[in-house]
Amino acid sequence: RKEVEQDPGPFNVPEGATVAFNCTYSNSASQSFFWYRQDCRKEPKLLMSVYSSGNEDGRFTAQLNRASQYISLLIRDSKLSDSATYLCVVSGNNAGNMLTFGGGTRLMVKP
Amino acid sequence: GAVVSQHPSWVICKSGTSVKIECRSLDFQATTMFWYRQFPKQSLMLMATSNEGSKATYEQGVEKDKFLINHASLTLSTLTVTSAHPEDSSFYICSAALGRDTQYFGPGTRLTVL
């Protein structure tokens, strides 16, 4: 079983739609959680950290459920520029700064 | 945010040659840098953790003699792919750690081995 699992998609949605991605992680000792965005042939970029209390950044809302070991990302009012691969990332399973990446979920927003 | 550069951004080489990739943190010092590899349509896989002034820690299945890592200063880590083969063709990405959970990624190096 992978440490961090995501539905690879692709999710094809029209502009303006609301879309949600889910992610599960296997190591209950994980301490920090993130969503990264990766555009084709580019490096990943941090989208937002994820906290147990849930957090929102504009159109993006992230939630963490430690009991279920589940992380979600909600994107409201999708824009064409939101098209990318969204990576669920977990850290804190070990000493140091190591990040464990999920396989990514591909989002395509269409006009 | 902090800036990490990689050089070269892409390289094509013949099978059997060695390729060196540089990763630099431009505006901060990084005791720890990480090297990842990403094959098409797959996620990033950590290859090794590079610590300044000490030997790198390699992930299981990554050959340390094939992927040589040197972290000689707080702003530079290098990855050398020795005797490259076509199966080593991939997107190599480095990151530099700033604080416990924050990593800043370089733009990546696309390696094609003919």
Side-chain angles (χ1 to χ4, degrees):
Chain A
R1 182 187 172 189
K2 292 181 183 176
E3 282 196 58
V4 181
E5 295 213 53
Q6 295 180 248
D7 179 345
F11 284 58
N12 295 297
V13 302
E15 263 188 296
T18 295
V19 61
F21 305 138
N22 303 319
C23 165
T24 56
Y25 60 96
S26 61
N27 193 327
S28 58
S30 301
Q31 296 176 21
S32 302
F33 310 89
F34 311 90
W35 283 101
Y36 277 73
R37 170 195 170 128
Q38 186 176 25
D39 292 287
C40 189
R41 295 175 176 262
K42 299 283 188 181
E43 76 277 21
K45 295 195 174 175
L46 178 64
L47 181 64
M48 58 198 304
S49 300
V50 189
Y51 306 112
S52 296
S53 54
N55 48 304
E56 188 173 310
D57 183 1
R59 297 180 294 108
F60 299 85
T61 302
Q63 294 275 358
L64 166 65
N65 185 321
R66 284 189 184 269
S68 303
Q69 294 179 203
Y70 170 98
I71 306 160
S72 65
L73 176 67
L74 182 78
I75 305 176
R76 290 181 298 278
D77 188 23
S78 301
K79 311 289 185 192
L80 295 176
S81 57
D82 293 334
S83 298
T85 296
Y86 290 83
L87 303 168
C88 177
V89 183
V90 170
S91 81
N93 300 338
N94 41 55
N97 315 72
M98 286 176 60
L99 301 179
T100 303
F101 286 80
T105 298
R106 182 112 188 266
L107 171 66
M108 298 182 68
V109 181
K110 311 229 165 159
Chain B
V3 178
V4 175
S5 70
Q6 267 184 256
H7 177 80
S9 55
W10 59 270
V11 57
I12 301 173
C13 69
K14 291 182 179 179
S15 188
T17 60
S18 294
V19 176
K20 180 188 277 190
I21 304 170
E22 293 185 349
C23 176
R24 292 181 186 273
S25 56
L26 298 184
D27 51 0
F28 67 101
Q29 294 182 327
T31 306
T32 304
M33 291 185 175
F34 301 89
W35 286 96
Y36 297 85
R37 180 167 53 181
Q38 186 175 33
F39 292 107
K41 298 190 178 181
Q42 295 185 26
S43 192
L44 279 74
M45 295 300 297
L46 180 65
M47 298 175 68
T49 302
S50 169
N51 297 297
E52 187 266 339
S54 64
K55 290 183 180 179
T57 304
Y58 289 81
E59 295 301 298
Q60 192 172 13
V62 178
E63 299 174 55
K64 63 180 182 181
D65 295 328
K66 180 168 180 65
F67 298 99
L68 301 179
I69 291 173
N70 185 285
H71 194 155
S73 77
L74 288 171
T75 58
L76 173 64
S77 176
T78 60
L79 168 69
T80 301
V81 183
T82 61
S83 187
H85 290 282
E87 58 266 29
D88 297 324
S89 298
S90 187
F91 191 45
Y92 291 86
I93 306 176
C94 73
S95 70
L98 184 62
R100 178 175 167 81
D101 290 324
T102 304
Q103 290 186 27
Y104 291 93
F105 287 85
T109 296
R110 192 158 298 279
L111 170 64
T112 301
V113 185
L114 301 176

